[in-house]
Structure formats: structure tokens, C-alpha cells
Amino acid sequence: MEVQILGSAQSAAKQNNALVIKTAEATARVWIYSPTVIRVSISKNTGVSDTSFAVIQKPEGSIDSKENSDHIEVTTSALKLSIQKSPLRFNFYTADGKELSQDDSRFGVNWQGTRVINYRKLYKDERFIGLGEKTGDLDRRGSSYTNWNSDVPDHNPKSDPLYETFPFFVGMHGGLTYGLFFDNTHKSYFDFGATTDHQMSWFGADAGDMNYYFFGAQNVADIIKDYTWLTGRMEMPPLWTLGYQQCRWSYMSAQEILDIAKTFRDHNIPADVMYCDIDYMDHYKIFTWNHETFPDPKSFIDKLKSMGFRLVTIVDPGIKVEPGYKQYDEGVAKNYFATYPNGEKFIGEVWPGRCHFPDFFRDDVRKWWGASFTALTEPGVEGFWNDMNEPAAWGQNIPWMVKFGNYYMPEIRNVYGMEMARATHEGTKKILGNKRPFVLTRAAYSGTQRYSAVWTGDNSAYDAHMLLGQRMVNSLGITGMSLVGVDIGGFSGDPTPELMVRWNSLGVYTPMFRNHAMQGTKMREPWRWGEANEKIIKKDIEQRYKLLPYLYSSFYQSHQTGLPVSRTLAINYTQDTMVYNPTYQNQFLFGDGLLVAPVISTEHTASVYLPKGEWYRISSGEHYEGGKAYTVDAPLNDLPVFAKGGAIVPMQNIIQNTNEKGDGILEVNVWYGKEASKFVYYEDDGSSYDYEHGTYHKREISFDPANKRIKFGVISGLLTSKYTKIKLVLHQFQSNISGNVRTVSVNGEIKALSGDVVMFDNTNSAITVAYH
């Protein structure tokens, strides 16, 4: 098969808001989306409509370019794209001329048959992070990956591909950063110098266009902000989804689920969510109930709600071939299913047996699918778990000639799960009215954050999978997915009690905190592990509920900026080489102020690296100077978690579920630091869309050590906070301030200081706390 390399420009002209360059092989187009985002598309077939499943923004109305005999320069206030005309190559620089990324001068963009590849220069010190759900190390340098959404139930820490496709990465070299999103839904490939003698990196796809967006912001957080501006950001999640979630394949009856829920309450272990896996259905038929084991769904769900639980039910795409079954009859009558080229309906086998698969790429099919959820919402279901949507069928390889509307399987497999999640989200949102649905999907593509949460698929019960899961959560955060979880304890296999305790303690700091396991494994509920271990598990789940004000505010930050809740240290400490060290690569920030160090279950000490700054172990208050590695104690009842100097962490009292109002006291914890800091506290009703119309409670809390001030800014929003009192807790102020803290004033009024705590009313006006 011959290689065809992109040759020299034959013509270049501005057309509408694009620069169009023609060669003998293809047509290249360049658009400016913002000062830090430039799109390049190189296509052999320009007659195809220019659409994207991921991108929701439009390019700017004009493009600034200059041409001479050798080059065309496209410039913005932040970027310079220097386009070499002969042969045609695309080279990106900062506005002041620093080299960010270049085409390989020899090979650039090229084709072998329909396969299109872009070879790019690889810099000596270049690192790469991103690609979402991928195994391997935090730094992708020296590794290669394939994107082809697949059901991989027995994957290991090196398996690839997996369930999800996020073709977006961040490159870093010489103190510079850039991002690149390859928006092509075909089977795609990324090689970060694994096979090219460290001369080139490359990416490409089996077919389609060389279509990418280049991001030039000069820090990782701003690149993520730009990427999520381009592809969309998450809605505020329902508050109840941030509580503890209990799942299993399967709880076999309504009574079993009610018994499990009651046991949570009897043991005073906080929890918010129970799940129904596939066995709640009538012979696995979607949008049905098994009326022997779930005879009265509404009564069952009402009882759950009376105990403070919500229910999430699983939904797969396969529609059983069975005349008389409502969804089958409707889908056949209206031609809603995937077909072979001759129009014959495709049949694949999954849980119900022989199944058809909805064409989620049609608006009418998505609306039909969404309307079908009344079978679940009318009894009271509020959460919808989309599984098997790679799409999976026994045997895996759905024929490539299968058509979904105008698309053949190879061009849309990677985006099928996202479009199913879209249909589920849009449909349940319409049915539920002013109530936020919870959608969870196994398969995904860039932009899925607009519709759904994700989890990392069918993991296994051993320590390496626990650490891998955390790396995946952190990596998914880079790609805009903030509401992310793993199966705590491992889906397959049986964890040791020590692993279950350790994994649960890490789950406290996982954005979606879900315990899940497969049939045939040991029961996983918190009380199954002996009295001593139950006590530790309970304590850690209680910590999660205490942290909910901080966590919910962190999700507001994700909603506003795209910055994830669980953040690889590479986001904040990009140039610190230690954060890429395999010993420390699993560590992460949880929100702005907390650093978490995962530890395997068989170790009771840990080597922890703390980046530059001041840090305090939250369990002991012990102080550490950053920029160093430490060996710290890590017993099973005390996962190493550190607060950054200046961290502001709002908390609440222990509640049993998110329906409870609590004691009305917002506990604002501030750890002393030498540098100023701030935190945006956010609250809304946790369930409706009223926040989109101003019904929220938001204020900035700032810490100013130079002037010995902690300030609560003026409240914005129409919501009255559920907290009537603020309990300000000062950590390590006594030991860090000369003369110690002796008095505290609130808006000039001297207040009693009880130890390190001062209490005052949560008023709508600005509040200044001065310590002396």
C-alpha cells in the first residue's frame, strides 16, 4: 500500500471565515475559534458536511493571515501558526515566537489507503498527559494507544483499548504547554514516540479527515478550560449523586434492596443510592420490570425514598426481538434500528438474546428512546445507568457494514455510547421537568460530559487495579469528565478485607463514590468485613458526607471552568518532574486544597511527594515543607491526605443522607499558609435547574496572611443558605504566627475564641475576620 504525503500548496485564499489551501492531494482549512484555539482540517473529500459530535462552538468570523513566497502566517493575540507552503506543513508558536509543536518536516500529514496520519516533531524533554481512560503511566511518553470502544471485562493494567475514547492530550516541553484534540470518530491511534526512535510522535485514524484543534494556553488548567469551552461542560450534578452509592450485579428483588437499605440505616452508615442491575427487568427487556421479584415498583421506590435513598436502574441499548414487546414493535414499525446495507435489520446477541440496536444518530430515535423512560420515571427512578453501549454484543465484532442511518459501524462505534447517553439525558430531563436526572455511561467520546457521568468499567479486586483506577479518574478529569468513578473493591474477584477498607478510604476522594461487584463474588456492603473494619469504613464514609459542601463547590468549579474535582498533580505542578515519577504518579489534588496519596492495602507506610508549598496532614496536623518526598505512616484507618497551606475547606456535620438538613452550621476550615488564597463557596437546592436562573448562594472566601484577614465576600444569588451559622476553624495558626492568635474580631467586633474556633452568624453582607 503506497504512502501519499501531503505535498505543496497550489493555492491559498480566504473563504468566509476560513483560510483554504489546496494541494494536489487534499484541501486544508484553518479556522480561529479563539485567541488560544486554532483548528486545522485536511480532507480529501470536502463535499461532506462539516459536523462534529463533540464540538459545540463556532469559529470566529474572520481570520488574520499574511502570505509570502514561502509561508503563510495565521496570528492571534496568543498564537502564531506558521504554514510552510512547500511541502505543506503546520507549525505552531506562541505569539512571541516560542516553538510549541511542528509537523515532522519529512512526513507531515500522509495517507495509506483511507488511513490518515499526522507525524509531529518530538522534543527531547517532551511529556504527554491525557487521552482519558487509558492504562499505563501518567506520562504517556514512550507509549502507544488505540481508540476503539470495546467491552473489556477482564482488562489488566496494560490493556488497550478500553471502553471510552477521548482523543485529546496535553504536550509539555521546555516550560511550554499545548493541547491537541483530534476530532475523528473512526478507530484512531496515538503514538508518543514509542516506535520512532524518539524522533516523532504521531496520531491518526483508519479513515476520515485529519481534523484537529490546537490549544495554545500556557498552563494546563487553561488548556482544559479551552477544551471544555469547545466541547461543553457538565451541568451541576444532583447532590444525592455525590453521596455513597451501593450497587451489585445483582440485588435480586425489591425486598433484598429494601433490606440492604434498612441495614445502612440500622448501622448509621450514610448512603444515598441503591442500584438495580439487569435482573430487575422482565427477561432483560429494557423498560420493563420483573413483576415476580419487583411486583410493585412504585411502592418499592417510595419505601426507599422514605429511608432517604434514590434508585438508579441499568439500561442497555439492545432491544429484544420479540413481537408484542412495546419497544420492539415501535422500533420495527418506524425503522429505528441499525440495518445491513440491504435494509435488513441487524441482530446481535446480548443479555435478552437476539436484539436490535437503536440508531441514536437520528433525532426521532433519540426522542423515542427518551420518552420510553416513563416506564422507570413514573414509579420514581431518578438515575439511569447506560451499560453495554460500546456497543457490546457477544463476540464483540459487530460487522463493519452495519449501518446506523447514514453512518457505517467503523465511523461511529466510538461515539455510539455518547449518543445513547445524550438520548437518555435529553429524554429523562424532559420527563423529569425541573429535576436533574443522573445519567451514567460506560462508553463515551469527547463531549460526553455534557450528558453523563462515566466510570472505568469492569475492574478487578487487586491493588494494581485500585491504583490504575485512580490514574484513570485523574486522566479522565483532563478530558472534561469530572463526575467519574470506579467500582470500589473491584468488580470481579474478591478483595481482601484490607483492600476493601483501603479502597473505600480512597473512594471518599473519588468524585463518584460507588461500591459495585459482579455476581458470584462476596457481598460488599460495609458491614460484611467484621466489626473493626466496619468501624473504619463507616468513619471514612462519614468523612465523605462531612466534605460535601467542599465537594459540591468543587463541582461548581467544574461546571464553570472544566477543571476536574480529582486532578493529577500535573495540572497544578506541570514543570515539577517528580509528579511524573511512577512512585508518585497516582497522587492527586481533590479540589483546590487537598492532596491525596493512594496506598496499596499491604503497606502501612508510604512514600509521599509533596510539591512546593506548605502541607499539613489533616489527621494529625503535622506540618511538611513542600518540594520533598517523605515516608509517612499509612495505617488502614488513616489514608495520607494533606491540606495545602492556605487551603479553605467548607464542611458540615455528619448526616445519613443528602436529604437531611443537618445542624445548620457550615464549618469553614482554613490551614495557615504564607501565601494568600481564595475559594468560591457554592450552594443551590441540589436537585432543580433553578440555579440556571439565579437561585443559588455563592460567595468568595479569601485568606490574606499578610494582613491577617479571612474575608467572606458579599453573597450573590437568590437562595438563602441552609447554614445559619459559620464555624471558622483555624488550623496551625497558633504555631505559625508570632505571639499566637489571642483575639479574633468579626467585622470589628471581638469574638470569643474557643481553641482554634470562632462561631458567627452567616449573614448576607461581607464578613471580615481579623486575627491578632
Side-chain angles (χ1 to χ4, degrees):
M1 188 184 297
E2 292 294 323
V3 176
Q4 186 180 44
I5 299 174
L6 187 65
S8 298
Q10 297 176 335
S11 66
K14 294 178 184 179
Q15 293 182 10
N16 299 320
N17 57 355
L19 174 67
V20 180
I21 307 171
K22 294 186 177 182
T23 73
E25 300 79 20
T27 298
R29 287 178 169 82
V30 178
W31 295 265
I32 294 173
Y33 276 69
S34 79
T36 50
V37 182
I38 295 177
R39 177 186 173 194
V40 175
S41 180
I42 303 170
S43 177
K44 288 193 168 190
N45 185 6
T46 57
V48 177
S49 63
D50 183 29
T51 60
S52 172
F53 295 104
V55 173
I56 63 171
Q57 301 295 343
K58 300 294 184 184
E60 292 184 351
S62 61
I63 186 166
D64 185 8
S65 65
K66 296 179 180 178
E67 183 176 358
N68 60 33
S69 58
D70 300 319
H71 291 81
I72 304 169
E73 283 195 357
V74 175
T75 57
T76 73
S77 59
L79 282 172
K80 180 174 71 173
L81 168 58
S82 179
I83 304 170
Q84 177 184 299
K85 293 165 69 174
S86 184
L88 190 62
R89 301 289 182 264
F90 296 84
N91 305 318
F92 293 88
Y93 301 82
T94 62
D96 59 356
K98 297 184 180 71
E99 187 177 315
L100 292 174
S101 181
Q102 293 191 348
D103 276 344
D104 180 82
S105 60
R106 301 159 297 172
F107 306 123
V109 171
N110 61 72
W111 294 263
Q112 285 183 277
T114 62
R115 178 172 288 183
V116 58
I117 302 289
N118 184 195
Y119 290 92
R120 303 195 71 81
K121 178 179 178 180
L122 184 61
Y123 299 86
K124 185 176 181 181
D125 63 340
E126 194 164 12
R127 301 180 186 275
F128 303 90
I129 59 174
L131 293 191
E133 187 196 40
K134 291 296 180 186
T135 56
D137 291 329
L138 166 64
D139 183 2
R140 307 299 189 191
R141 175 73 179 254
S143 297
S144 62
Y145 300 93
T146 299
N147 289 319
W148 187 241
N149 289 1
S150 302
D151 180 10
V152 195
D154 298 314
H155 66 270
N156 62 55
K158 294 185 178 180
S159 296
D160 185 71
L162 293 177
Y163 305 90
E164 300 162 9
T165 290
F166 294 92
F168 167 71
F169 67 86
V170 178
M172 305 157 287
H173 64 87
L176 302 169
T177 59
Y178 70 91
L180 195 146
F181 169 43
F182 178 44
D183 191 11
N184 181 316
T185 60
H186 290 80
K187 190 174 188 178
S188 60
Y189 310 87
F190 288 79
D191 187 309
F192 298 108
T195 58
T196 57
D197 195 30
H198 298 281
Q199 295 182 56
M200 300 177 291
S201 64
W202 61 270
F203 62 92
D206 279 350
D209 295 339
M210 177 47 59
N211 178 45
Y212 64 85
Y213 295 79
F214 189 90
F215 302 87
Q218 283 311 294
N219 63 75
V220 177
D222 282 343
I223 290 172
I224 294 172
K225 186 176 182 180
D226 282 346
Y227 167 78
T228 56
W229 166 81
L230 185 75
T231 61
R233 299 189 180 120
M234 66 176 295
E235 295 181 348
M236 285 301 297
L239 178 61
W240 58 266
T241 64
L242 307 186
Y244 179 82
Q245 305 186 15
Q246 186 65 51
C247 186
R248 183 172 181 82
W249 175 29
S250 280
Y251 296 122
M252 297 301 295
S253 69
Q255 190 58 52
E256 184 180 13
I257 293 173
L258 290 171
D259 290 343
I260 296 289
K262 184 177 183 299
T263 308
F264 272 100
R265 299 299 175 238
D266 290 345
H267 286 245
N268 291 314
I269 299 173
D272 265 87
V273 185
M274 295 296 298
Y275 277 73
C276 283
D277 209 315
I278 56 176
D279 293 289
Y280 79 95
M281 291 180 269
D282 175 15
H283 294 88
Y284 308 126
K285 288 182 287 187
I286 311 306
F287 307 120
T288 68
W289 294 87
N290 183 328
H291 288 296
E292 292 184 5
T293 52
F294 293 83
D296 188 346
K298 186 177 188 308
S299 175
F300 154 58
I301 296 171
D302 285 346
K303 290 174 183 176
L304 274 180
K305 289 182 177 180
S306 72
M307 290 187 279
F309 283 90
R310 262 77 169 202
L311 185 68
V312 177
T313 53
I314 199 167
V315 179
D316 297 342
I319 299 295
K320 182 176 176 60
V321 176
E322 181 181 288
Y325 165 37
K326 181 175 185 290
Q327 276 67 38
Y328 169 78
D329 290 343
E330 291 175 349
V332 169
K334 297 183 179 180
N335 294 315
Y336 284 164
F337 299 130
T339 67
Y340 288 108
N342 64 357
E344 181 183 340
K345 291 176 180 58
F346 168 71
I347 294 176
E349 289 198 32
V350 281
W351 298 114
R354 300 168 70 245
C355 287
H356 293 321
F357 290 79
D359 177 6
F360 292 116
F361 302 92
R362 287 169 49 185
D363 182 65
D364 57 342
V365 178
R366 291 194 299 272
K367 288 178 178 176
W368 163 76
W369 175 265
S372 298
F373 277 89
T374 54
L376 303 177
T377 58
E378 286 179 358
V381 178
E382 296 179 43
F384 314 95
W385 171 19
N386 289 196
D387 197 23
M388 303 291 288
N389 55 350
E390 290 71 31
W394 305 152
Q396 294 287 341
N397 290 321
I398 293 175
W400 284 21
M401 65 176 171
V402 170
K403 293 189 70 176
F404 294 82
N406 295 322
Y407 300 103
Y408 285 98
M409 191 70 199
E411 57 191 317
I412 52 82
R413 183 181 181 93
N414 285 338
V415 79
Y416 187 84
M418 173 179 166
E419 289 299 286
M420 179 184 175
R422 175 187 175 186
T424 302
H425 175 266
E426 291 174 348
T428 56
K429 184 175 181 179
K430 182 177 181 180
I431 292 168
L432 293 175
N434 194 31
K435 183 185 289 186
R436 305 173 208 168
F438 170 61
V439 179
L440 176 65
T441 184
R442 190 170 76 178
Y445 183 76
S446 292
T448 299
Q449 66 271 11
R450 304 194 299 267
Y451 311 118
S452 178
V454 299
W455 89 105
T456 59
D458 296 341
N459 59 359
S460 299
Y462 55 97
D463 282 287
H465 251 275
M466 178 179 68
L467 298 182
L468 169 65
Q470 189 57 56
R471 287 199 302 280
M472 286 182 176
V473 167
N474 298 344
S475 182
L476 283 160
I478 295 169
T479 63
M481 298 301 311
S482 196
L483 188 50
V484 181
V486 303
D487 289 345
I488 302 295
F491 178 70
S492 64
D494 290 320
T496 63
E498 293 78 14
L499 177 57
M500 195 68 222
V501 169
R502 184 69 93 192
W503 211 329
N504 181 79
S505 69
L506 186 56
V508 174
Y509 304 98
T510 303
M512 191 186 78
F513 188 7
R514 184 178 82 150
N515 176 323
H516 182 43
M518 75 177 293
Q519 63 179 359
T521 61
K522 293 179 180 178
M523 300 298 285
R524 298 285 180 80
E525 296 78 21
W527 52 88
R528 308 284 189 179
W529 306 95
E531 188 175 340
N533 289 327
E534 178 186 340
K535 185 177 180 180
I536 299 171
I537 291 171
K538 176 181 177 180
K539 168 190 70 74
D540 287 334
I541 294 174
E542 288 175 340
Q543 175 71 356
R544 170 69 166 219
Y545 279 77
K546 289 161 68 175
L547 283 167
L548 283 177
Y550 174 73
L551 178 57
Y552 199 67
S553 297
S554 298
F555 270 105
Y556 177 72
Q557 187 180 38
S558 294
H559 168 63
Q560 290 289 299
T561 70
L563 196 63
V565 171
S566 288
R567 305 169 195 167
T568 168
L569 298 185
I571 294 175
N572 289 63
Y573 306 99
T574 309
Q575 308 306 330
D576 187 337
T577 59
M578 289 289 280
V579 307
Y580 306 97
N581 186 312
T583 301
Y584 310 116
Q585 66 179 350
N586 304 309
Q587 295 180 191
F588 61 99
L589 293 179
F590 188 68
D592 286 337
L594 299 178
L595 184 149
V596 183
V599 183
I600 62 173
S601 64
T602 56
E603 297 289 340
H604 294 160
T605 61
S607 180
V608 173
Y609 175 70
L610 298 173
K612 184 179 179 180
E614 298 173 275
W615 300 89
Y616 302 93
R617 181 124 184 205
I618 64 170
S619 60
S620 66
E622 187 175 356
H623 174 263
Y624 297 85
E625 286 294 333
K628 300 177 183 178
Y630 297 89
T631 299
V632 301
D633 290 334
L636 285 176
N637 65 351
D638 188 11
L639 184 74
V641 180
F642 302 84
K644 187 178 182 180
I648 301 167
V649 179
M651 299 174 69
Q652 66 181 8
N653 71 313
I654 297 169
I655 55 176
Q656 293 303 300
N657 63 83
T658 57
N659 285 342
E660 293 186 4
K661 291 183 178 180
D663 63 3
I665 298 172
L666 181 67
E667 179 182 298
V668 177
N669 296 267
V670 182
W671 280 265
Y672 183 79
K674 297 183 178 69
E675 296 182 3
S677 61
K678 63 182 180 180
F679 180 86
V680 175
Y681 172 75
Y682 177 84
E683 183 185 337
D684 60 32
D685 63 22
S687 62
S688 79
Y689 287 95
D690 291 350
Y691 72 92
E692 294 180 344
H693 309 290
T695 304
Y696 55 80
H697 174 100
K698 181 172 69 170
R699 73 193 312 170
E700 183 177 279
I701 306 171
S702 58
F703 167 58
D704 179 4
N707 294 300
K708 297 185 177 180
R709 299 283 188 272
I710 298 168
K711 186 171 182 179
F712 294 74
V714 175
I715 293 167
S716 63
L718 304 174
L719 183 76
T720 300
S721 174
K722 62 184 174 184
Y723 304 104
T724 58
K725 297 281 187 180
I726 293 175
K727 177 182 178 182
L728 180 62
V729 183
L730 306 176
H731 295 270
Q732 310 305 318
F733 279 65
Q734 303 284 358
S735 58
N736 280 285
I737 300 172
S738 177
N740 295 332
V741 175
R742 294 177 179 171
T743 61
V744 170
S745 63
V746 179
N747 286 351
E749 179 185 351
I750 301 298
K751 291 283 186 179
L753 186 66
S754 175
D756 297 317
V757 177
V758 61
M759 188 92 73
F760 48 90
D761 291 336
N762 184 13
T763 66
N764 287 337
S765 59
I767 303 169
T768 299
V769 179
Y771 54 90
H772 309 280

